[in-house]
Structure formats: structure tokens, C-alpha cells
């Protein structure tokens, strides 16, 4: 009976180590990046716009994407920090 479940257990272990674990690491790194953002940081938005954070709020950031063009975006709309 144990030999019947061995392939299933092996598939689940491979699934965890190749898919689940890297996604969890990526999620934690993204959350840490969002927590470290401050006014003046340059960011790339999920929509493809690049801008500079002008104001930081609890759930929203105000991002300047052009001369005197400011948009308010949700925290999760920020894809990455640009150097």
C-alpha cells in the first residue's frame, strides 16, 4: 500500500520545491520592497509607467509620472523599484 502512494508523495514534493517555495520567496521579497519604499524612490508600475513616489500612505502611493502629473496607485500596483 505504501508503494502506491510513493509516486504521489514524490510529485507533491517536487511541486512544492519547484513551484510553491520560489513563489513564496518572491512574494516575501516583494512585500519587503513595498515596506521599504519612501518618498523620492523611483518605481515601475504594473501598467508599465515609470515614476517617482511623492507621497506614501497606508494603502496608496502618490506617484509623479510626468511634469505635474501625479496619480494615486495602490501598493500592489508597484512592480519594482528602479535604480
Amino acid at each position: 500500500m505504501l508503494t502506491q502512494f510513493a509516486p504521489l508523495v514524490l510529485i507533491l514534493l517536487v511541486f512544492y520545491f519547484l513551484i510553491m517555495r520560489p513563489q513564496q520567496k518572491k512574494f516575501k521579497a516583494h512585500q519587503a520592497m513595498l515596506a521599504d519604499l519612501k518618498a523620492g524612490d523611483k518605481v515601475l508600475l504594473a501598467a508599465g509607467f515609470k515614476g517617482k513616489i511623492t507621497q506614501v500612505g497606508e494603502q496608496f502611493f502618490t506617484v509623479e509620472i510626468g511634469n505635474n502629473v501625479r496619480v494615486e496607485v495602490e501598493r500592489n500596483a508597484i512592480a519594482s523599484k528602479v535604480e
Side-chain angles (χ1 to χ4, degrees):
M1 183 164 166
L2 185 60
T3 58
Q4 290 177 332
F5 290 112
L8 180 61
V9 170
L10 183 63
I11 290 171
L12 289 175
L13 286 173
V14 168
F15 179 77
Y16 175 76
F17 282 108
L18 292 180
I19 297 173
M20 298 289 286
R21 197 161 176 231
Q23 285 293 347
Q24 288 174 346
K25 284 184 179 182
K26 185 177 178 182
F27 178 75
K28 285 181 184 180
H30 187 256
Q31 292 298 330
M33 183 268 305
L34 288 176
D36 290 340
L37 289 177
K38 58 189 177 304
D41 287 343
K42 293 182 181 183
V43 294
L44 178 66
L45 301 178
F49 294 111
K50 284 176 30 177
K52 183 171 69 172
I53 295 176
T54 58
Q55 193 174 23
V56 177
E58 280 291 315
Q59 186 156 358
F60 294 94
F61 288 111
T62 302
V63 179
E64 184 174 357
I65 58 174
N67 292 337
N68 295 325
V69 178
R70 292 184 174 92
V71 292
E72 194 169 317
V73 297
E74 194 173 14
R75 283 176 110 50
N76 292 332
I78 296 189
S80 65
K81 185 175 177 180
V82 179
E83 297 298 321

